[in-house]
Amino acid sequence: MTAVSKGSGSTAQPFNSPAQSSGSTAQSSGSIEAGDRQRFESLNPATGEPLASFDVHTAEDVAAAVERARTAAAWWAELGTSGRRARLTAWRAQLVQRTDELAELISRENGKPHDDAVVEVVLAIAHLAWAARNAGKVLRRRRVNPGLLAINHSATLEYLPFGVVGVIGPWNYPLHTPMGSISYALAAGNAVVFKPSEYTPAVGRWLVDSFAQVVGEQPVLQLVTGFGATGAGLCEAGVDKLAFTGSAATGRLVMASCARSLTPCVIECGGKDALIVAADADLERAAEQAVWGAMFNGGQTCAGVERVYVEAPVYDEFIARVTEQAAGIRTGGPDGQGSQGPHGSQGVPHYGAITMPGQLEIISRHIREAIAHGGRALVGGLDSVRGPYVEPVVLVDVPPDQPAVTEETFGPTMVISKVANLDEAVEAANSGDYGLGASVFSRGQGRQLADRLTAGMVSVNSVLTYASVPGLPWGGSGHSGFGRIHGPDGLREFARSRAVTSQLFDIPLKLATFARPDASIGQLRQLARLRWGRR
């Protein structure tokens, strides 16, 4: 057994060192010895039911997969953007036809309700479609103005595939999140070696197998499975770029491993996202979106709502609306087992089990310390943590230095704070180590507030809408990581730029020669004054 960090496709200490995560040992991935090869089981987080067993791939296995990908990458690149688009379009059609089959697997292995899994599948399909359709336009060779100093040259810019891209995926969105890298890397002409989280390898295998049904000639998309050492092996196997989604702690280790070979990487490490409610906000809409943004997927969303800052004049009314709505939210398994709300209400669950057992202690600690330091639970409380389920928790009066405010909780909790004005709200929202996403609610000042936030993505009068827009980039700053997936930026993230100049004719001004005429520098000064000297 190994302990894993939140959302990570590798262990919290993945590079052959003891794994630690909140002092807990993971329960949803078991190791099995099968002959000479170690295997592990994927389990349903709600029931503990084994779903399938998988190989623990060694560093040598991973290196062999990357080597196979080299030949596949050359073949895939030769297809050109139109050839790749045809294949990716066929894959997209297959995903559409098999949406419910895939959603059922996600629900069983990840724990979320089937309907939420359908939403995840459709989001992934939308991004795949956009990447396939737009790769040719975004990455095509284009002419660039050579400027005054190279006026006798043509200048072009083009984007070429890296070759082989490694992707380490998370467990909270085991399809949509890795597909944000896989779709764009494939559309850009790369082969991909994918390591899913050890908590959701069955989703990864389904994805790779479905791709092989439409691209069977070469192993353009391959799967490697295992724990932290497998992820470390992918970082060190000679991939040309690596995309990682997971915890900041694991992200630092991934970066350190990639740095040894100067392998470029794109890192997405979660967030502590804030929502601002202005005095002129539609309070019913703001409350509904705050509750959904905090609680959907059991709060296991890197860009979910964890902090809410409300202007004083509407604070009490907003609190009343949030508590009323949150009290009706229920958690439970896909067939209703364990389904209940904060007051024991029964019914179809709104979200499912906590996927990673180690996260339960983090959620408990954040609630416990918040209450111990003066916070109050208006909905739920410490007894809301009943593994594998956590009922909704709404906290107020929590000091700003508490972990529930400063650290990623990754559970169905929300901390609401009163602020005197919007300046205070913006300052509080921008505080902390993370900078992934944010939301603002205001009838008249939404865009102005959004412009003042340091987060990489902002929704005005909604939450998380940017995730559903394939043409927009996804990513943050600070401990949320760097680099971008999705949109044109996401396509370019998985391509290397190449600049080419070509001389068209000769000119009298000769600077790039040791036989430079004496008059050249004087001519250069005169040109500079004429072109750039005017104020």
Side-chain angles (χ1 to χ4, degrees):
M1 289 281 194
T2 58
V4 298
S5 64
K6 165 254 143 185
S8 171
S10 54
T11 64
Q13 301 290 336
F15 298 86
N16 303 315
S17 60
Q20 298 177 348
S21 177
S22 311
S24 301
T25 300
Q27 298 297 319
S28 66
S29 291
S31 295
I32 304 170
E33 293 292 342
D36 293 333
R37 180 177 289 281
Q38 189 181 36
R39 293 178 67 81
F40 69 102
E41 287 184 323
S42 169
L43 309 180
N44 182 318
T47 65
E49 167 200 3
L51 299 178
S53 65
F54 298 85
D55 287 339
V56 177
H57 288 122
T58 65
E60 291 75 18
D61 296 328
V62 176
V66 171
E67 188 60 32
R68 289 191 296 272
R70 292 269 168 232
T71 302
W75 174 82
W76 183 246
E78 283 295 318
L79 291 181
T81 54
S82 60
R84 292 192 296 270
R85 177 177 178 175
R87 301 301 186 93
L88 294 174
T89 298
W91 190 30
R92 180 202 70 199
Q94 183 180 135
L95 295 180
V96 171
Q97 294 163 6
R98 301 173 67 185
T99 291
D100 282 316
E101 175 192 339
L102 179 53
E104 177 61 24
L105 177 60
I106 293 171
S107 179
R108 291 177 62 203
E109 189 173 48
N110 167 268
K112 67 185 61 177
H114 181 87
D115 286 355
D116 286 356
V118 170
V119 173
E120 180 174 350
V121 174
V122 173
L123 280 172
I125 290 169
H127 280 275
L128 173 61
W130 192 95
R133 185 175 65 253
N134 289 280
K137 178 174 63 176
V138 172
L139 303 177
R140 72 179 186 273
R141 181 182 298 177
R142 66 195 64 186
R143 297 189 65 177
V144 175
N145 187 334
L148 180 64
L149 298 181
I151 196 169
N152 61 322
H153 288 252
S154 67
T156 59
L157 171 65
E158 60 188 333
Y159 293 90
L160 305 172
F162 273 107
V164 180
V165 171
V167 175
I168 299 178
W171 48 260
N172 58 330
Y173 293 93
L175 178 73
H176 172 59
T177 299
M179 281 290 280
S181 298
I182 292 170
S183 296
Y184 291 82
L186 290 172
N190 303 281
V192 174
V193 179
F194 173 37
K195 186 218 173 280
S197 167
E198 53 266 52
Y199 288 94
T200 52
V203 175
R205 182 168 67 185
W206 191 102
L207 190 67
V208 170
D209 287 349
S210 68
F211 182 82
Q213 292 180 18
V214 296
V215 182
E217 297 93 331
Q218 293 282 345
V220 175
L221 175 61
Q222 295 181 75
L223 183 77
V224 294
T225 54
F227 301 100
T230 306
L234 185 56
C235 294
E236 298 169 355
V239 294
D240 300 297
K241 186 157 191 173
L242 188 122
F244 167 82
T245 304
S247 72
T250 307
R252 292 186 189 96
L253 296 170
V254 168
M255 289 171 60
S257 179
C258 289
R260 285 194 283 271
S261 57
L262 292 181
T263 300
C265 51
V266 53
I267 304 289
E268 198 263 274
C269 295
K272 189 70 178 177
D273 289 10
L275 183 150
I276 293 175
V277 181
D280 68 342
D282 178 338
L283 295 184
E284 184 64 22
R285 169 73 175 170
E288 183 269 331
Q289 286 286 280
V291 171
W292 183 82
M295 310 300 174
F296 86 102
N297 203 42
Q300 300 167 112
T301 301
C302 52
V305 175
E306 297 206 10
R307 301 176 291 148
V308 181
Y309 299 101
V310 187
E311 278 200 284
V314 296
Y315 177 80
D316 291 339
E317 184 179 352
F318 179 79
I319 288 289
R321 293 174 184 269
V322 164
T323 54
E324 179 183 3
Q325 292 190 32
I329 303 300
R330 294 173 298 278
T331 178
D335 58 1
Q337 74 268 20
S339 178
Q340 55 187 6
H343 304 300
S345 57
Q346 302 295 313
V348 177
H350 295 94
Y351 62 84
I354 299 300
T355 307
M356 191 178 78
Q359 200 65 31
L360 293 167
E361 173 53 30
I362 296 175
I363 298 168
S364 294
R365 176 172 61 85
H366 286 192
I367 298 170
R368 181 172 60 250
E369 294 187 13
I371 293 173
H373 288 82
R376 295 183 295 126
L378 300 184
V379 177
L382 194 55
D383 60 356
S384 298
V385 183
R386 306 175 185 180
Y389 302 104
V390 178
E391 298 162 6
V393 177
V394 177
L395 298 166
V396 296
D397 300 334
V398 180
D401 62 348
Q402 289 304 298
V405 179
T406 62
E407 299 176 9
E408 189 173 38
T409 304
F410 226 59
T413 68
M414 181 195 320
V415 177
I416 306 177
S417 302
K418 183 192 298 185
V419 293
N421 51 54
L422 292 176
D423 289 339
E424 183 182 346
V426 169
E427 182 179 1
N430 286 339
S431 66
D433 296 327
Y434 294 98
L436 188 56
S439 301
V440 297
F441 283 80
S442 171
R443 287 188 170 96
Q445 306 173 74
R447 181 56 200 240
Q448 294 93 318
L449 288 169
D451 289 344
R452 297 173 63 188
L453 296 174
T454 56
M457 305 166 291
V458 184
S459 288
V460 178
N461 294 325
S462 68
V463 298
L464 275 162
T465 304
Y466 43 76
S468 64
V469 182
L472 288 177
W474 172 284
S477 60
H479 288 193
S480 292
F482 54 86
R484 295 295 184 267
I485 58 175
H486 302 172
D489 289 5
L491 285 168
R492 296 188 189 106
E493 191 74 53
F494 296 104
R496 57 184 178 88
S497 63
R498 182 164 66 189
V500 178
T501 61
S502 179
Q503 181 172 313
L504 303 175
F505 53 88
D506 208 0
I507 58 175
L509 181 61
K510 300 183 183 302
L511 300 174
T513 173
F514 287 116
R516 181 190 299 150
D518 293 340
S520 293
I521 298 303
Q523 294 169 346
L524 181 64
R525 289 193 184 100
Q526 184 177 5
L527 280 173
R529 284 195 297 267
L530 290 172
R531 180 64 181 86
W532 300 301
R534 293 188 299 274
R535 293 186 179 182

